[in-house]
Amino acid sequence: MDIERRLGRKRLVRWGSRTIDIDLLYYDRLCLHTAELHLPHPRIPERRFVLVPMTEIAPDWLHPQLHKTQTELLAACPDTGKVEKTALSFLP
């Protein structure tokens, strides 16, 4: 959250537009639930835009609570949105 603040994030409306949004999805196999952080991220199974790249880089990674691979989560994901690769350049 501090990184987001330093990068100028302003959150005016929950689920609304914001300049930056950094989510921590997994931290090894840690399961943690505090007021500020939930690990693994609770909405991973619902988000195709998370699961498509996760399946590309770690298809057999097991979700530490659901005990399903990223491939299995993607196959069961209710999100039908299109996910496209894009090239980003952070250099001027």
Side-chain angles (χ1 to χ4, degrees), residues 64-80:
Q65 291 175 311
L66 302 176
H67 307 288
K68 293 184 179 182
T69 67
Q70 302 307 289
T71 302
E72 291 169 326
L73 291 174
L74 179 58
C77 182
D79 180 3
T80 59

Side-chain angles (χ1 to χ4, degrees), residues 33-81:
H33 299 283
T34 69
E36 292 185 343
L37 182 61
H38 294 271
L39 290 173
H41 192 288
R43 286 177 290 287
I44 290 171
E46 306 164 9
R47 294 180 169 169
R48 188 171 175 78
F49 69 90
V50 169
L51 291 166
V52 167
M54 280 296 299
T55 299
E56 287 183 13
I57 62 172
D60 297 323
W61 176 264
L62 277 178
H63 188 289
Q65 291 175 311
L66 302 176
H67 307 288
K68 293 184 179 182
T69 67
Q70 302 307 289
T71 302
E72 291 169 326
L73 291 174
L74 179 58
C77 182
D79 180 3
T80 59

Side-chain angles (χ1 to χ4, degrees), residues 6 9 13 24 29-30 35 38 42 46 50 58 60 67 75 83:
R6 286 189 282 152
R9 176 179 172 164
V13 178
L24 187 57
R29 304 230 183 266
L30 180 65
H38 294 271
E46 306 164 9
V50 169
D60 297 323
H67 307 288
V83 177

